[in-house]
Amino acid sequence: MNILRFGTTTLLACLLLTSCGRQKMERARHNLLLLESQNRSDSVFRSDTLQLSLAKYFDRHGTRSERMLAYYLLGRARHDMGEAPSAIDCYQQAADLADTTAANCDYNLLLRIYSQMASLFHLQGLPEEEREALAHAEQNAWKAGDTLLAINSREHLTGSYYLEGKYDDVIRICEWASTEYEKAGYKADAARALFSVIHIYVERGDSAKAIPLLERYETESGCVHEHEAVPGHELYYYEKGAAEMYLGHIDSAETFYRQLLGDNRNYNHLQAGYKGLLSVYERLGREDSISKFAKLYAAATDSSYKEKATRDVAQANAMYKYDKAKMESQQARERLRRTYYALAIILLLLSASILWILQRMRMRRERIRNALRLENQRYLQLLSEYRTALASISSLTEENSSQKDYYQSLIKKLQTELSSLTGNKMDEANWKEISELTDTPIIAKLHKYAATIHAVTPSEWEEMYHACHQQYPAFLSHINNFTKHDLTNNEKQICILLLFRFTRSEIGALLDITPQSLTNYCSRINMKLFHITGAKGIEFNIQNMKKKYSGHFTTFV
């Protein structure tokens, strides 16, 4: 009943834990999909608390794809929070989780991860790392079957080359991208890809090459409508002003340059606008306007540098915080590693100690078993010699007095040795009784078992119980009285073995217990049956109880 109750309780607990685990997993997956939806809708993350908890949860649960998405979203949150180094680290962890050999690998997510890494490397001023990330982005875009994003990833390489002043590489990539967009049917993208080429030609003073490309940009890119730039593409006015200057349309050029002065907070636009107007007034030779716009251009340039310096300081601060956090994390991991090593050493030493103790116990047990075997073999040998001597003396006649004296002397000597070996001083009648008991097959077998440390089978124990029932039924009934004595199975077996005059050494061998354990059993038997403390006198007490319940002895055959 207790086992059934325990099993039922355990099963219910397992079901409850499984249910709780399933609910937690469903909640985590719901939150992951919710954050992914917010990310795809260009929501700005102000905190990374939920993303961090999901990354930690999916580190221990879920699939590799879920872990990859969790780390990507954690990177997006830290990206939005201005923690660029930490965001890059998260993106890298997400990318490392991808199994590109699997048939269901999410190449679209890998494309997004590497694209975000590339944008951060660009902001950090790391052109080589940016190009590497974009190369991965392009590769995954092709695998995902997204031609547009594959071309776009290659086109974005121009940013890193522009930072390094490798303008010919910029032109080469832009022209390649424009051609590929055109082949794929993306006409507007093909025209937009040429904008950087237009700017380089303008800056080089090669407006003749820039003008046809600019005309295509105006008509096909979708970024200009009737010489009005779509918001976000206002730098078109600078390139258009330069083209008008080249064509001699000074007034028109001035108009386009002034279009860049509409937003006082955008120093890039102000810088381009003032630079263009300065070139206009230099062409016109207006000294006062030249002086004015030279100062404005210088001020805009200074503001632009200050803005960049502010971003650089913020990036450096973010890098410092990240490096500090990373160092603290490494130190914590190192402390944890040392703790694990210490625990491993302690566990190893503890295991070695346990093994050593178990080995010592096994060796001690083996020594005890060997001692019991030798003692029991000696006892069985002496008992056999005693039986032989008894048989020999009983066959002698009065004429053989000298032989009779020899056997009587031998019998006394054997009795002395047997008493010394067993620790029980018994008279000739007792030893004769013990000798006659060996005529019972099962008793003779168990004496041999004791001499060889052989285990007794359940069926052989049944034979012993049967022998006891045949010879001493009242004795057996008495020790089986559960309500009165409550003897254990081992205690009953010891009583029966003592009843049939087995020695303590033999009992220890047959039950495979140590001498101390046997002493403890005997103490409990003495207390339960005779209300005597200690194991002393157990053999005498059992024999007295046998006489009380039988009064005579007959050999069982």
Side-chain angles (χ1 to χ4, degrees):
M1 183 63 72
N2 289 335
I3 294 174
L4 180 61
R5 189 182 297 111
F6 174 75
T8 305
T9 306
T10 305
L11 179 61
L12 289 174
C14 290
L15 290 173
L16 182 62
L17 289 172
T18 303
S19 176
C20 292
R22 190 181 298 112
Q23 289 176 2
K24 193 171 183 179
M25 173 64 80
E26 289 174 357
R27 186 162 58 251
R29 285 175 173 161
H30 170 76
N31 288 332
L32 192 67
L33 293 175
L34 179 64
L35 288 175
E36 169 67 343
S37 176
Q38 291 173 353
N39 178 58
R40 286 183 177 274
S41 62
D42 291 328
S43 298
V44 177
F45 295 118
R46 305 295 182 189
S47 169
D48 65 350
T49 304
L50 180 57
Q51 289 88 337
L52 182 59
S53 67
L54 288 174
K56 288 181 178 179
Y57 177 78
F58 284 109
D59 257 342
R60 302 183 301 275
H61 309 88
T63 63
R64 288 171 68 98
S65 297
E66 287 168 334
R67 287 197 289 277
M68 181 167 68
L69 180 57
Y71 272 103
Y72 168 66
L73 291 171
L74 179 59
R76 289 291 298 118
R78 289 180 174 171
H79 191 158
D80 290 344
M81 293 164 66
E83 299 177 10
S86 179
I88 291 171
D89 191 41
C90 291
Y91 290 146
Q92 190 60 61
Q93 289 185 68
D96 290 342
L97 285 165
D99 183 6
T100 53
T101 62
N104 62 342
C105 180
D106 193 345
Y107 292 110
N108 282 302
L109 180 55
L110 267 177
L111 161 64
R112 290 155 59 197
I113 291 169
Y114 282 115
S115 296
Q116 293 294 339
M117 286 175 70
S119 67
L120 285 175
F121 285 136
H122 184 78
L123 291 173
Q124 296 287 315
L126 301 169
E128 290 186 7
E129 288 79 358
E130 179 186 358
R131 285 195 286 270
E132 184 180 354
L134 286 170
H136 284 297
E138 181 187 352
Q139 182 183 21
N140 285 292
W142 288 120
K143 288 180 178 179
D146 196 327
T147 304
L148 179 62
L149 287 178
I151 300 169
N152 186 260
S153 297
R154 176 87 66 90
E155 182 189 358
H156 274 82
L157 288 170
T158 57
S160 63
Y161 286 119
Y162 202 92
L163 282 174
E164 296 177 325
K166 298 178 179 179
Y167 302 123
D168 290 335
D169 288 326
V170 175
I171 293 172
R172 174 179 55 79
I173 293 170
C174 287
E175 289 177 344
W176 174 88
S178 179
T179 302
E180 294 301 316
Y181 281 134
E182 190 78 35
K183 288 179 183 177
Y186 300 109
K187 191 174 182 180
D189 293 283
R192 284 195 291 268
L194 296 169
F195 189 78
S196 294
V197 180
I198 296 168
H199 180 71
I200 292 170
Y201 284 150
V202 166
E203 290 299 297
R204 286 177 174 178
D206 198 353
S207 296
K209 290 183 178 179
I211 288 174
L213 299 178
L214 186 62
E215 289 174 351
R216 181 181 175 186
Y217 183 81
E218 290 173 330
T219 56
E220 297 179 6
S221 69
C223 299
V224 180
H225 299 291
E226 297 180 358
H227 301 300
E228 288 287 333
V230 172
H233 300 274
E234 289 85 355
L235 286 176
Y236 154 76
Y237 294 127
Y238 178 78
E239 318 303 346
K240 183 63 176 176
E244 293 297 308
M245 283 282 289
Y246 174 78
L247 295 171
H249 305 153
I250 306 300
D251 292 342
S252 179
E254 181 182 3
T255 301
F256 281 112
Y257 286 139
R258 287 189 180 277
Q259 293 280 10
L260 289 164
L261 308 181
D263 186 358
N264 292 329
R265 294 170 299 179
N266 193 320
Y267 297 115
N268 287 331
H269 290 177
L270 291 175
Q271 191 178 9
Y274 291 142
K275 181 181 179 181
L277 289 171
L278 178 61
S279 66
V280 167
Y281 292 118
E282 284 176 341
R283 176 79 64 88
L284 294 174
R286 295 181 186 175
E287 297 293 335
D288 54 341
S289 295
I290 291 172
S291 176
K292 173 186 175 182
F293 283 103
K295 292 177 180 179
L296 289 172
Y297 175 57
T301 302
D302 288 344
S303 298
S304 179
Y305 281 134
K306 286 179 181 177
E307 188 176 52
K308 185 178 182 303
T310 302
R311 287 199 303 270
D312 290 343
V313 169
Q315 289 174 6
N317 186 44
M319 179 63 79
Y320 169 75
K321 289 181 178 178
Y322 173 71
D323 287 343
K324 183 180 178 182
K326 193 171 184 179
M327 183 179 68
E328 290 174 350
S329 177
Q330 288 174 343
Q331 289 173 345
R333 284 198 296 271
E334 181 61 23
R335 287 195 298 271
L336 187 61
R337 185 180 65 84
R338 287 198 296 267
T339 302
Y340 282 151
Y341 282 159
L343 288 174
I345 291 170
I346 292 170
L347 185 61
L348 185 63
L349 291 173
L350 185 61
S351 300
S353 300
I354 292 172
L355 288 173
W356 181 79
I357 291 170
L358 290 174
Q359 179 67 6
R360 290 294 300 272
M361 290 174 65
R362 188 188 68 79
M363 292 173 65
R364 179 176 176 272
R365 186 179 184 84
E366 194 61 32
R367 284 197 303 271
I368 292 172
R369 286 167 64 89
N370 287 333
L372 289 176
R373 180 169 55 250
L374 292 173
E375 184 176 333
N376 294 338
Q377 286 173 354
R378 179 60 179 158
Y379 176 73
L380 190 61
Q381 181 186 355
L382 290 173
L383 206 57
S384 177
E385 291 176 5
Y386 186 76
R387 281 173 57 81
T388 303
L390 285 177
S392 298
I393 199 171
S394 63
S395 64
L396 294 175
T397 63
E398 292 296 332
E399 291 78 15
N400 306 113
S401 59
S402 59
Q403 286 185 320
K404 203 167 190 177
D405 291 340
Y406 165 76
Y407 281 115
Q408 284 177 344
S409 175
L410 177 61
I411 288 170
K412 286 181 180 180
K413 179 184 176 184
L414 290 172
Q415 287 176 352
T416 303
E417 287 190 48
L418 285 167
S419 296
S420 174
L421 191 63
T422 61
N424 295 317
K425 191 173 182 180
M426 292 183 285
D427 56 23
E428 185 174 342
N430 287 328
W431 286 117
K432 187 176 180 181
E433 178 188 343
I434 294 171
S435 176
E436 290 173 348
L437 278 171
T438 56
D439 290 335
T440 306
I442 185 60
I443 294 175
K445 182 187 288 187
L446 262 59
H447 276 299
K448 290 178 181 178
Y449 280 3
T452 55
I453 315 296
H454 189 290
V456 183
T457 65
S459 62
E460 288 166 339
W461 277 119
E462 285 297 322
E463 286 187 61
M464 281 296 289
Y465 277 106
H466 181 64
C468 185
H469 177 71
Q470 289 291 319
Q471 296 296 318
Y472 310 107
F475 177 90
L476 184 62
S477 176
H478 183 68
I479 65 172
N480 279 332
N481 192 331
F482 176 79
T483 56
K484 189 173 181 181
H485 305 300
D486 190 20
L487 293 177
T488 65
N489 190 53
N490 273 4
E491 290 167 351
K492 290 176 186 176
Q493 289 174 349
I494 291 169
C495 287
I496 291 172
L497 291 171
L498 288 172
L499 174 68
F500 287 115
R501 300 286 192 170
F502 282 83
T503 67
R504 291 198 187 191
S505 176
E506 288 181 306
I507 294 171
L510 292 171
L511 297 181
D512 194 21
I513 56 177
T514 64
Q516 183 58 52
S517 296
L518 179 58
T519 299
N520 295 337
Y521 276 120
C522 290
S523 296
R524 288 196 290 271
I525 294 169
N526 257 343
M527 178 56 66
K528 291 179 180 180
L529 293 180
F530 311 110
H531 306 291
I532 297 172
T533 303
K536 190 174 180 180
I538 183 72
E539 293 89 352
F540 178 78
N541 295 333
I542 290 293
Q543 293 305 316
N544 270 349
M545 189 170 75
K546 176 189 75 174
K547 293 174 182 177
K548 175 182 176 182
Y549 286 101
S550 62
H552 68 281
F553 172 78
T554 56
T555 303
F556 173 78
V557 180

